Every structure is written in C-alpha cells, then in structure tokens.
C-alpha cells in the first residue's frame, strides 16, 4: 500500500499539470494575441534571377501584409522549394509539400510546363495552386478547377497584336514561337484575331528552346526567302535574346522588316542582362499597363533599398507575385474561420514520401479556393480581381525598343482600342494615333509588310500571244536580235499601275505561246506557280477566282451580241400612228371636241354660220375645229371670246403638228437600217450559226445558251468578224458574234456603218490582272488601278490604242425614236383648256346678266305649269336658242334676225296667206312692193310674196 500511494499521487499530479496546460492553451487561443500558423508552399526556379527576385517579392508581401494587420489570427508560413527549372522536380516538390508539410496552398511554379503538373496535383488533393506567371493556355483553369491564374493569359494580348497589324495595314503575318506548350499556346487565339482584321498567316516557325545557333540561322534564312516581312515573336526571354542576335546577324533586323514582341519578352526589357537590346532596335513590344500609385511607389522604394544584389527595378512578374501572396494571406484569414484546415488521408501511410497515391485531401481547400477567387483589392500591379479563376486583363502599353530600353508610344484596351494615351475616347481623333516609331534600321518609314523575295528574282508575268485584237496585247519577236517586244493597251495600263505603286516592284513579261490553250489554261499557270502573274485581256470570272486572285477591273464589263444591219422595209401600214401615243391621241381628240363646243356655245346666238338645223350646226362646228389642223378654217367669228379660244388652240395645234411631223420623219429615216436580229432566243431556236473570239470563255457561255458545237465558229481578228457577218450563215459565215464589250467597241470604231450591238448585255466583271491567291500585291495594285483610271493617264492610253473616234452607240430594238405622249404637251393642254373654260364662263355670265328677265320668266313659266328641273332646263335652253327681235337695227345682228324671221314665215308653206302689213312689220316687203300701190290690209299669196322677194319657189 505504501508503494502504491506515491504512484497514485504522482499520476494525479501529472494529470493536473496536463489539464492546466490544456486550459492555458485554450485560453491563449481565445485571446486576440493568439495566432495560428498556416503552411503555404512556394515552388520557384531559385537557380534563375527571375525566380530569386520573385521569392524576395513574396517575402516582402508577407512582411508588409502582417505588419499592417497585427490583429489577424492566422500567419502564413512559407515553405520554399526549388523546381530546378524542371517540371518533374516541380511536381516532386508539390508532392512533398502536400504529403509531408500539409500546405494549405501553393504559390508557383514559374513556367507553364511546371504549373501544368502541379495544377493536376492540386486538383487531386483540393489544394489551391496560385501562379503569377503561368500564362499559357496549356494550363486550363476549366480542366484544373483548383488552379488560379494570378496573371493574364497569353491570349489576352492577341486582339492587341491584331490591332497593331490592322493599324499599319499589314496583311501577311508570320508567328515565330518557342516550340513548347507555352510557345504554341498563343497560336489559336492569335490566328483567330488576325483573321478578324483580314490578315492571314501564310507560314509559321517554331524554335526549340535549346536549338543550336545553326538551326536558328537556317530558320531565319528560310523566312528571308518569303515575301512577308512582319513577324510576331513569342518565346521566353532567354531564347528571344539569342533569336534576335542571330536575326540581326542575318540582316533581318533592318529596314523593311517589322518585329512585334509579346509581353513575355517586353516584360523583362528593363531587367539588367535579360535581353540584348542592341540587336532589338526598332522592335515593337507589348506589355500590361501598370498605373502609378502610392502602393507601387512604396513597393519600388523598398525594393531598391533591399540589401541583396538585385538593384534593378521589379518587373511585372514581381508585382504579380507580391499581389498573389497578399491575396492568399487574405483568403487564408477568411477561410480559416469557416473551414477545417486539416488533411484527410485516403490510404495507409506505408510507402515513400513521393508516393502520389498516398496523398490525402485538404478539407479546407474548397473554402480557401472560393476565398481566393472572391478576393479583390488594389495592389502594386493595379486592380487585383479574378474572373473565372483568372486575372482580369488590364490595358496594354505599346513600346518601341530604342536605345537601352523601351519607349511607350501608345496604349490599347478592349474598350477604346489603340490610343496615344490612357483614357482616350473613340471620338477623340487627336489622340487616336500612335507616336512616331523608330523601325529596324533606324528608319522612320512604316514597313509595307512584304517584299519581293531576295535573290534578285523579278516577277515572272505571263502575257498571252494573240492572233487578233493586237491593240490589247501584242507580242512581237525581232528575228535579227531574237528579242521580244510586248505592247498593247493592257500592257500600258499595267505599266502605269506599277508606276503608281508606293514602292518599286521589279517584273518582266514572259510570252505564253501555247496557241492551243484557252485563257483558263493561261490563268491556271499562276495557280501552278509557273508564273507570278498574268497581264492581258483576262476576264474576271467566278470559276477563276476559286484558285487565283484578280485585281479590280480596269475595263468595261459585259458580253453583247454583234449583228449586221439591213435596210428596213417599212411595211407597217399604221406607222403614221406611231409618233403619238394612245393617250396623246385621245387627249387631242378630246380637246378638239371641247374647243368646238366652246366656240359653238359662244357664237350660236350671234353668228348665222353656227345656226340652222342641228345636223348643220354639228357639221359646221366639227369642220371648223378640225380645219384648224391645216389652218384652213373660213367661218367668221363674231365674239372676241371665241377668237381668243381659237388663237390659243391654233397655237397648240401648231406645236402638236410640228412635233408629229418631226417624230414621223425620224421614224421613217432611222428605220432605213435595222439589225438583222435582236432576240437571242430566236437565234437559239433557228439553225443560224454564231461566232466568238478564239480562246474566250464566251464559248462555254454560248453552249449554256443552247448553241451546239456545230453552230459555233471561232474567229481571231476584227476583219474575220466583218467577213463572217457579211456572208451570213447561208454562205459559210455567221448571223451574229458574241464577245466582250471592249472588243466590240474596238470593232465598232472601225466598222460602225454596217454593224451594231443589239440585244441584252450579259454581265461580267471586265479585265483584271491575275495574281496568286492571297497575294499581298492585290490590294495595292487595285488601289493603284483606281488612281490610274480616275485620272488622265487612262484617257491617254485609250487614245493611243483606240484613237479619238468614238464607238457607235448600240441601237435599240425596233423604232429608235420615242413616241410622244400626253405628258410632253401637258402644259399646252392646260393653257388651252383654262382659256376655253374661262371664256365660256365669261360668256355665260354676260348672257345671264343681259337676259336675266327673260330667263327668269321662262323658268318661272315652266315651273307654273308644274314642270320638273329638266323642264326648267329645257325652257332655259329653248330661250338660249331663240333670237330676240331687233327692229330698225342696221347692224349685222338686226339683218340676221330680219332674215331669219322672213325665212320662218316662208317656211310655213307656199299657200299660207300673209298680209302686206305683217310682212311690212317684219321688213319683209321691199320698197318696190310698197310703191306698187298695195295697201297694208291687202293679202298676198305666198308665191307672189316670194316672187316679189326674188326667191325661186
């Protein structure tokens, strides 16, 4: 018992002490001054200067972070590993950190190849991997959900590179990239961006990271043989420094070349020894823009005061490393309070420490990853904000390597594009341009982007050897000197275009002598690279553009039909109706009747010429009006109103008859010569033969129209055209020839009187110069064609080869003169109609004023008898038709009334007795009758009265 008691007391004391220590630890954990160490791994290439400098930046970030936040409950403890510039070593270091150190996160590695392995391990163990430098698309955030890219992607700068290409008008770009996952990762986005600005990538070159100088020089010499002179270089700084040194050695960093370096090269331009800038003068570089801020100034000042040997300014990678470390420290503090930062094993602990299968799962990984992705603050590199696990891209600076560093010449952002300064707007044209650049070779002229390949070779330009129409292309060989001379309209145009080019292009003409070949065969020679271009009368066709490129056309376009003219027979018996259209004929007749009606209405009561039976009045009125056509009207007009109407109407008739005569004369004259046919459909249905120019695409066009081979005949010269059409199909010739308008115009300038272009014009694009597909010459030559065709040079060339004689205009089908329509004389009809209406209205008003009492009495009398409106109108018309007596009147009107009264009496019948007094009252008895001794009360038979009047019964 005695021995057991001391043992029990000792055990009790031990438990008491243990409980006290636990209580003190718990109490310490509850106090604000207590902190928890959280291990975080760092994997860097510590054998390189960038790796060492990045470690300093990370350590400074930890010191600054906790110095400004002393009350945080967590403390990040760094565990640094060296990847030794090897992806396997980086993966091994990550396994060691996860399995043995139980880190909560890993910062790094530096390169994309190393980060790809580590990112896979991080996703397997739920350990966030934050890289500030792995920018290649080979490390996918989507495929590795626990990978966080605290830097910009390489693809973020592809739109900027395309914008520079578009800004300077380049079309062919050659990427030169490192032959690795990092180097090739930019290609998909770069090619897509270049295509969006109509640029293409005809070739690309991959340089192995450890390629020998001989291999790089061989690649450069191959690039030198290509026509493109714009290169985009994307590789690590160490390889880029070697590459540019050898490019300068081969003479490619010289005038006429353009080099664009991506941010992987430009980011280290200010680092001592990173690049040999003496061989990179004139290179354009792009890099992320870092705005000046107090945070950046403080960090830079501390960096320069660092006692270590790195005195150069920090690069963008050191800034991103600083911000990435602070983002991790913020996320650790946030996630530690809501998650368990413990590792859970998934298998037994047996095995080596590098056994990946024994890696556990970090339980706090999801919370820490979410906290990192949600972290946002303004750091030394600018606004630190992640989107989809990647850093939002900032604006980019555009630099020009001059002297010992880079000179900023502009800035680019996704919203404003290229600008001369930060914050410019799209509407601010004054700041939309880049500053002046110094190009390779100390040139201030923007490189055009391509050159004729070196070696003294000129462009080999094929020209067709023609047997006819030599005004367009003429190839002659001097038998004494055996030299070949090429001339013609097409040749002079091409020479003028080359002189208008902004740069010199050496070329020489090579005759294409295959007489059996068509123009399709000639054009295909460019596709098969037997020639560099074709200059001549080659037509732009859709089937040809499938394998070659054409410039803009420099001639008229279209295919037309050429036919002979024959004398017209004029067998149209109704041609006299053709000068006037139907509406004009009807309108003229309408105004004839209307004018006659107005004249009759005004003259009826006062002019005996317009009295009598209705049929006589109608005949007199119509004869009067229609006689104005030949100005032979003889009826005497009594009223000034009717005279005014007739004067205006005669003027209208004069204009119409003169125009009618001129139009009819023109029709009868023009129709003396008519085209043989104007309808191709009739030609196809007939058995007539048609012709075309030898070697022309028109042959296939005629076959599509329906002409068989037996009905098609090829010719070469204008003289053959003429003889064939004059002979016709019946005598071995043709009835029509189909050819392009430039040839037909040349033909018509020589044989204008006997032939004409008839029918419709079939659309083509005219003549153009032929170049290989995607040739950089095509846009510049097309622009030069516009300059030539819009000036006086083209007129001089046409006058030289085609003369001053203007080609005949093609005649239209049928009658050439246009028939006159009603609208041509609308103004005249408006005048005569207005005058006639006003004259009639004036006459009616005067009539009503003078005859108002009688008119009113007549209408009232009809109303008293219970008559309708029409009865009143009839009474008014009857009164209008009546003649009021004018006794003792010596005027013409009185004589007319007297004579009408007498005639009315006589018309009652020959046996009607009438007294002398009645006849005397009507002045029907002459002075001789009164002197004969008859009294006024005596009656006289009508026969005797007529005898006295001297009228035959």
């Amino acid at each position: 018992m005695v021995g057991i008691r001391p043992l029990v007391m000792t055990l009790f004391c031990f438990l008491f002490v243990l409980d006290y220590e636990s209580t003190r630890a718990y109490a310490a954990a509850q106090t604000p001054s207590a902190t928890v160490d959280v291990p975080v791994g760092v994997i860097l290439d510590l054998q390189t200067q960038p790796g060492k400098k990045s470690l300093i930046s990370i350590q400074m970030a930890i010191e600054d972070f906790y110095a400004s936040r002393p009350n945080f409950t967590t403390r990040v403890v760094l565990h640094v590993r060296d990847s030794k510039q090897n992806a396997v070593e980086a993966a091994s270091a990550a396994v060691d950190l996860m399995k043995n150190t139980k880190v909560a996160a890993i910062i790094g590695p530096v390169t994309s190849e190393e980060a790809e392995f580590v990112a896979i391990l991080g996703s397997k163990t739920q350990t966030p991997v934050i890289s500030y430098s792995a920018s290649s698309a080979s490390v996918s955030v989507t495929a590795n959900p626990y990978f966080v890219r605290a830097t910009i992607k390489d693809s973020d700068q592809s739109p900027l590179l395309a914008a520079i290409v578009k800004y300077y008008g380049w079309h062919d770009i050659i990427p030169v990239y490192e032959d690795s996952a990092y180097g090739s990762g930019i290609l998909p986005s770069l090619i897509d961006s270049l295509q969006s600005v109509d640029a293409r990538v005809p070739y690309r070159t991959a340089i192995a990271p450890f390629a020998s100088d001989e291999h790089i020089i061989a690649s450069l010499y191959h690039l030198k043989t290509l026509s493109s002179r714009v290169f985009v270089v994307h590789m690590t700084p160490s390889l880029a420094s070697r590459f540019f040194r050898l490019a300068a050695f081969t003479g490619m960093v010289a005038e006429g070349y353009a080099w664009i370096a991506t941010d992987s090269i430009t980011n280290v331009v200010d680092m001592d020894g990173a690049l040999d800038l003496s061989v990179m003068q004139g290179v354009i570089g792009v890099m992320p823009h870092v705005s000046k801020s107090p945070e950046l100034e403080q960090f830079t000042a501390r960096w320069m005061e660092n006692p270590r040997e790195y005195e150069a300014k920090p690069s963008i990678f050191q800034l991103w490393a600083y911000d990435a470390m602070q983002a991790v420290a913020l996320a650790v503090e946030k996630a530690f309070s809501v998650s368990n930062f413990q590792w859970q094993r998934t298998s037994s602990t047996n095995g080596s420490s590098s056994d990946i299968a024994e890696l556990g799962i970090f339980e706090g990984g999801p919370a820490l990853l979410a906290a990192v992705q949600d972290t946002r603050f303004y750091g030394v590199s600018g606004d630190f904000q992640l989107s989809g696990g990647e850093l939002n891209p900032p604006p980019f600076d555009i630099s020009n390597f001059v002297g010992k560093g880079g000179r900023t010449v502009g800035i680019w952002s996704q919203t404003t594009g290229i600008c001369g300064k930060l914050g410019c707007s799209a509407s601010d044209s004054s700041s939309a341009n880049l500053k002046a650049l110094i190009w390779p070779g100390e040139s201030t002229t923007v490189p055009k982007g391509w050159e004729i390949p070196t070696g003294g070779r000129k462009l080999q330009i094929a020209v067709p050897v023609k047997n006819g129409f030599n005004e367009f292309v003429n190839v002659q060989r001097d038998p004494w000197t055996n030299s070949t001379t090429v001339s013609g309209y097409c040749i002079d145009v091409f020479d003028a275009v080359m002189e208008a080019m902004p740069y010199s292009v050496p070329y020489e003409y090579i005759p294409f002598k295959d007489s059996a070949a068509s123009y399709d065969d000639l054009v295909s020679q460019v596709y098969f690279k037997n020639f560099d271009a074709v200059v001549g009368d080659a037509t732009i066709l859709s089937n040809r553009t499938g394998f070659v490129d054409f410039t803009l056309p420099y001639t008229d376009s279209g295919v037309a039909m050429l036919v002979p003219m024959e004398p017209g027979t004029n067998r149209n018996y109704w041609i006299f109706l053709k000068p006037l259209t139907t509406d004009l004929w009807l309108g003229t007749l309408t105004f004839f009747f209307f004018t006659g009606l107005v004249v009759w209405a005004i003259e009826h009561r006062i002019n005996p010429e317009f009295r009598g039976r209705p049929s006589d009045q109608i005949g007199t009125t119509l004869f009067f009006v229609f006689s104005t056509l030949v100005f032979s009207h003889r009826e005497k007009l009594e009223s000034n109103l009717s005279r005014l109407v007739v004067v205006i109407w005669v003027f209208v008739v004069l204009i119409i008859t003169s125009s009618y005569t001129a139009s009819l004369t023109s029709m009868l004259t023009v129709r003396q010569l008519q085209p043989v046919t104007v309808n191709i459909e009739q030609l196809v249905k007939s058995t007539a033969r048609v012709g075309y120019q030898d070697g022309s695409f028109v042959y296939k066009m005629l076959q599509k129209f329906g002409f068989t081979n037996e009905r098609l005949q090829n010719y070469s010269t204008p003289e053959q055209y003429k003889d064939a059409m004059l002979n016709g199909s019946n005598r071995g010739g043709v009835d029509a020839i189909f050819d392009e308008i430039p040839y037909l115009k040349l033909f018509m300038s020589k044989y204008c009187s006997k032939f004409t272009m008839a029918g419709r014009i079939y659309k083509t694009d005219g003549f153009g110069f032929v170049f290989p597909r995607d040739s950089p010459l095509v846009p510049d030559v097309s622009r030069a064609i516009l300059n030539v065709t819009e000036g006086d040079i083209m007129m001089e060339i046409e006058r030289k080869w085609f003369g001053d004689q203007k080609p005949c205009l093609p005649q239209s089908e049928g009658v050439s003169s246009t028939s006159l329509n009603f609208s041509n004389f609308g103004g005249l009809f408006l005048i005569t109609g207005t005058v006639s209406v006003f004259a009639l209205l004036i006459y009616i008003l005067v009539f009503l004023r003078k005859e108002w009492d009688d008119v009113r009495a007549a209408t009232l009398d009809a109303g008293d008898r219970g008559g309708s409106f029409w009865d009143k109108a009839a009474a008014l018309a009857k009164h209008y038709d009546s003649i009021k007596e004018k006794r003792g009147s010596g005027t013409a009107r009185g004589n007319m009334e007297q004579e009408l009264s007498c005639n009315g009496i006589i018309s009652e019948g020959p046996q009607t007795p009438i007294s002398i007094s009645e006849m005397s009252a009507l002045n029907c008895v002459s002075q001789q009758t009164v002197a004969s001794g008859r009294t006024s009360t005596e009656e006289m038979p009508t026969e005797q009265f007529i005898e006295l009047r001297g009228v035959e019964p």
Side-chain angles (χ1 to χ4, degrees):
M1 294 293 296
V2 177
I4 296 176
R5 189 173 182 179
L7 181 61
V8 173
M9 292 299 295
T10 303
L11 181 61
F12 176 79
C13 293
F14 174 79
L15 293 175
F16 177 81
V17 173
L18 181 63
D19 181 72
Y20 173 77
E21 293 294 332
S22 299
T23 303
R24 188 178 63 173
Y26 176 80
Q30 300 302 315
T31 60
S33 59
T35 59
V36 177
D37 294 338
V38 177
V40 172
V42 178
I43 302 177
L44 299 174
D45 296 332
L46 298 180
Q47 298 179 5
T48 62
Q49 185 180 8
K52 297 177 181 179
K53 296 177 68 174
S54 296
L55 178 58
I56 296 174
S57 181
I58 292 173
Q59 293 172 342
M60 289 175 59
I62 291 294
E63 296 174 2
D64 296 343
F65 183 83
Y66 290 113
S68 60
R69 299 170 179 84
N71 59 336
F72 271 29
T73 60
T74 58
R75 289 292 186 271
V76 170
V77 178
L78 300 179
H79 296 266
V80 183
R81 299 291 186 271
D82 185 6
S83 65
K84 301 177 182 179
Q85 305 182 57
N86 187 280
V88 176
E89 291 289 342
S92 177
V95 171
D96 176 51
L97 291 171
M98 295 175 185
K99 183 177 180 180
N100 299 323
T101 310
K102 307 297 182 182
V103 294
I106 294 178
I107 296 179
V110 175
T111 66
S112 298
E113 290 83 357
E114 298 171 359
E116 185 175 3
F117 285 93
V118 177
I120 295 174
L121 295 174
S123 299
K124 177 179 177 61
T125 59
Q126 297 185 172
T127 306
V129 177
I130 301 92
S131 177
Y132 61 88
S133 58
S135 58
S136 174
S138 61
V139 190
S140 173
V141 175
T142 304
N144 302 284
Y146 280 82
F147 176 73
V148 177
R149 198 191 311 272
T151 182
I152 61 172
K153 304 188 301 295
D154 291 334
S155 58
D156 291 336
Q157 60 188 316
S158 295
L160 164 59
L161 301 175
I164 296 176
V165 170
K166 181 180 180 180
Y167 182 85
Y168 289 110
W170 297 323
H171 297 287
D172 283 2
I173 313 299
I174 297 180
V176 182
Y177 58 96
E178 182 178 301
D179 192 7
S180 62
Y182 163 74
S184 61
I186 196 177
L187 288 182
S189 62
L190 177 60
I191 294 175
D192 290 343
S193 298
L194 291 174
Q195 289 178 347
S196 67
V197 296
D198 296 329
R200 70 186 189 101
V201 180
Y203 188 78
R204 54 190 181 184
T205 296
I207 305 296
F210 303 103
S212 62
D213 290 353
E214 291 76 12
H215 177 78
I216 297 177
I217 291 175
S219 299
L220 287 168
Y221 274 122
H222 179 70
L223 293 177
K224 201 171 184 178
T225 63
L226 304 178
S227 61
S228 179
R229 289 296 181 264
V230 182
F231 307 95
V232 175
V233 182
H234 179 64
M235 54 185 62
T236 57
S238 58
L239 180 60
S241 184
R242 293 178 55 216
F243 176 82
F244 278 105
R245 176 174 56 82
L246 297 175
F249 172 77
T250 57
M252 295 181 66
V253 188
E255 185 175 359
Y257 288 85
W259 295 91
I260 306 176
T262 60
D263 66 340
S264 62
I265 302 173
T266 313
N267 286 335
V268 299
V269 68
D270 292 330
M271 294 178 59
D272 293 338
L275 296 173
D276 184 3
L277 293 180
S278 63
V279 296
M280 298 179 65
Q281 297 296 296
V283 175
I284 299 177
V286 299
M287 62 183 300
H289 175 76
V290 179
S291 300
K292 295 182 178 180
S293 64
E295 292 83 0
L296 177 61
E297 293 178 358
Q298 183 179 2
F299 173 79
T300 304
R302 286 197 59 206
W303 180 273
M304 300 302 293
E305 294 174 358
N306 199 295
R308 298 176 176 87
E309 69 269 20
Y310 311 114
E311 298 179 356
K313 293 182 179 180
S315 68
I316 186 66
F317 294 113
Q318 279 78 62
L319 303 182
W320 280 331
Y322 186 93
D323 288 343
M325 186 65 256
Q326 293 215 342
V328 171
L330 280 172
V332 166
E333 178 69 19
K334 181 179 178 181
F336 185 78
S337 60
V338 297
S339 178
N340 181 16
F341 274 34
Q342 298 295 326
W343 279 77
Q344 179 182 358
R345 290 188 175 275
T346 58
S347 61
S348 63
T349 58
N350 295 329
S352 64
S353 61
S354 62
D355 190 358
I356 299 178
E358 300 210 5
L359 292 177
I361 299 297
F362 178 50
E363 295 180 354
L368 182 57
L369 176 65
V372 171
Q373 293 179 343
D374 292 340
T375 299
R376 179 178 181 179
F377 61 93
Y378 195 88
V380 295
S381 63
D383 189 12
F384 186 92
Q385 182 181 8
L386 300 174
S387 178
E390 296 177 329
L391 187 66
N392 288 339
F396 281 84
D397 287 332
I398 303 175
S399 300
N400 186 203
F401 294 173
V402 179
K404 297 182 179 180
R407 180 176 65 96
T408 301
V409 295
I411 196 167
W412 176 91
S413 68
Q414 293 180 344
T415 56
T416 62
I418 291 180
C419 289
K421 59 183 180 180
L422 182 65
C424 69
S425 61
S427 59
D428 186 6
S429 58
S430 61
S431 60
N433 297 326
L434 297 177
K435 298 178 182 178
L437 274 73
I438 303 299
W439 299 95
E442 298 184 358
S443 173
T444 58
T445 302
V446 178
K448 62 177 178 291
W450 71 277
E451 291 284 354
I452 301 299
T454 58
R457 180 178 177 272
K458 299 180 179 180
L459 287 181
Q460 305 294 301
I461 298 179
V463 294
V465 178
K466 298 175 64 68
N467 296 324
F469 292 97
N470 293 327
E471 290 84 354
F472 291 94
V473 177
N474 187 21
V475 179
Q476 295 180 335
R477 189 179 68 85
D478 189 343
W480 299 100
T481 62
N482 200 27
S483 61
T484 302
T485 302
V486 180
S487 61
Y489 169 77
C490 300
I491 303 301
D492 284 358
V493 171
F494 185 77
D495 291 340
V497 168
M498 289 295 103
E499 291 179 2
M501 293 279 284
Y503 45 85
S504 175
V505 179
Y507 60 92
E508 61 180 347
Y509 296 115
I510 308 295
F512 185 69
K513 301 180 180 180
D514 191 352
S515 59
S518 65
Y519 271 65
D520 288 339
D521 299 328
L522 173 61
V523 172
S524 65
Q525 298 300 311
V526 175
Y527 174 75
F528 292 117
K529 299 182 179 181
N530 295 327
F531 295 99
D532 298 316
V534 169
V535 171
D537 46 353
T539 306
I540 304 172
L541 298 176
S542 60
N543 64 316
R544 294 174 179 173
T545 57
F547 51 92
V548 295
D549 277 349
F550 284 87
T551 62
L552 289 177
Y554 58 91
T555 63
D556 296 331
S557 61
V559 174
M561 179 173 62
L562 184 68
V563 295
M565 303 286 287
E566 66 177 2
T569 57
N570 288 335
R571 293 179 180 177
N572 187 353
Y573 298 111
W574 302 99
I575 192 173
F576 67 91
L577 297 176
K578 296 293 185 180
L580 307 183
T581 58
T582 303
D583 60 342
L584 183 54
W585 278 115
L586 295 177
T588 304
L589 290 175
T590 301
F591 274 89
F592 265 113
F593 290 117
F594 177 70
T595 304
L597 177 63
V598 172
V599 172
W600 174 84
I602 297 174
E603 295 288 332
H604 176 68
R605 287 175 56 85
I606 62 176
N607 194 335
E609 299 285 351
F610 295 90
R611 298 289 299 184
R613 289 175 295 183
S615 60
D616 295 336
Q617 296 181 51
I618 293 175
T620 300
T621 302
L622 292 179
F623 176 79
F624 170 79
V625 177
F626 280 99
S627 64
T628 57
L629 282 171
V630 291
F631 310 104
S632 63
H633 47 284
R634 297 180 179 179
E635 288 76 9
K636 184 178 180 181
L637 301 179
E638 299 291 342
S639 174
N640 289 330
L641 292 175
S642 59
R643 291 169 183 165
L644 176 62
V645 171
V646 172
V647 168
I648 299 300
W649 173 246
V650 169
F651 175 73
V652 173
V653 169
L654 175 64
I655 299 299
I656 293 177
T657 53
S658 300
S659 302
Y660 172 86
T661 303
S663 181
L664 181 61
T665 304
S666 176
M667 289 182 179
L668 293 174
T669 303
V670 172
R671 287 175 61 87
Q672 295 303 314
L673 290 177
Q674 296 180 347
V676 173
T677 181
V678 294
N679 196 330
I680 187 175
E681 288 77 12
Q682 294 179 356
L683 274 177
V684 174
K685 294 178 181 179
S686 67
T687 59
R689 301 173 63 189
V690 297
Y692 65 94
Q693 187 178 167
D694 189 21
S696 173
F697 70 94
V698 178
Y699 170 73
K700 295 181 180 179
M701 178 185 292
L702 294 175
Q703 286 183 322
K704 293 180 181 179
F705 288 159
F707 293 99
T708 59
N709 292 336
E710 295 77 13
R711 298 172 57 191
L712 299 177
Q713 182 63 43
N714 60 324
Y715 300 101
S716 300
T717 65
E719 291 74 19
Q720 293 177 352
Y721 280 17
K722 180 196 68 172
D723 295 338
M725 286 187 291
L726 291 179
N727 292 332
S729 297
N730 297 330
R731 292 183 293 176
V734 294
D735 287 351
I737 286 181
F738 290 84
D739 208 343
E740 296 178 78
I741 290 179
Y743 301 114
L744 298 185
K745 282 188 174 182
L746 177 61
F747 177 87
M748 292 296 294
S749 66
K750 298 179 178 179
Y751 308 103
C752 181
S753 59
K754 297 182 180 180
F755 306 93
T756 185
M757 288 188 286
R760 60 171 292 191
I761 295 177
Y762 301 92
K763 184 67 176 177
T764 60
D765 284 336
F767 297 163
F769 303 127
V770 184
F771 288 92
R773 285 293 302 270
D774 301 322
S775 171
L777 273 174
V778 173
D780 294 333
V781 174
S782 296
R783 281 188 287 269
I785 288 176
L786 293 178
N787 293 332
V788 171
T789 54
E790 292 175 357
D792 297 333
I793 299 177
M794 183 63 75
M795 297 178 61
E796 295 176 0
I797 296 175
E798 291 178 351
R799 190 180 300 111
K800 172 184 176 181
W801 293 103
F802 306 137
D804 295 328
Q805 181 179 359
K806 296 182 180 180
C808 294
L809 296 176
Q811 299 184 11
S812 60
E813 180 179 357
V815 180
S816 297
S817 298
T818 304
S819 299
L820 304 173
N821 54 42
F822 185 84
S823 62
N824 297 134
F825 303 96
L828 291 175
F829 286 121
L830 178 63
I831 294 173
T832 184
T834 303
V835 171
S836 299
V837 170
F838 273 101
L840 183 60
L841 291 176
I842 293 173
Y843 173 76
I844 292 174
L845 292 175
V846 173
F847 168 74
L848 292 176
R849 184 178 64 83
K850 292 182 178 181
E851 305 288 338
W852 176 250
D853 294 336
D854 295 337
V855 170
R856 187 170 181 272
T859 55
L860 289 176
D861 182 58
D864 293 340
R865 294 196 300 268
S868 63
F869 171 78
W870 297 110
D871 294 331
K872 296 179 181 179
L876 178 61
K878 184 176 181 181
H879 176 76
Y880 168 78
D881 187 59
S882 65
I883 304 297
K884 187 175 181 179
E885 293 186 4
K886 297 291 182 178
R887 291 183 175 87
S889 175
T891 63
R893 180 178 298 181
N895 295 334
M896 178 197 71
E897 294 176 350
Q898 174 182 329
E899 183 177 354
L900 292 176
S901 298
C902 294
N903 291 339
I905 296 173
I906 297 173
S907 65
E908 293 179 0
Q911 303 299 329
T912 304
I914 184 171
S915 64
I916 294 298
S917 61
E918 291 175 343
M919 291 186 289
S920 177
L922 294 173
N923 293 328
C924 293
V925 182
S926 64
Q927 297 294 330
Q928 293 81 358
T929 303
V930 177
S932 64
R934 297 197 182 261
T935 62
S936 62
T937 59
E938 294 181 2
E939 293 182 354
M940 181 182 294
T942 305
E943 295 87 342
Q944 191 174 0
F945 172 76
I946 293 175
E947 182 179 358
L948 292 174
R949 294 286 294 173
V951 180
E952 293 295 332

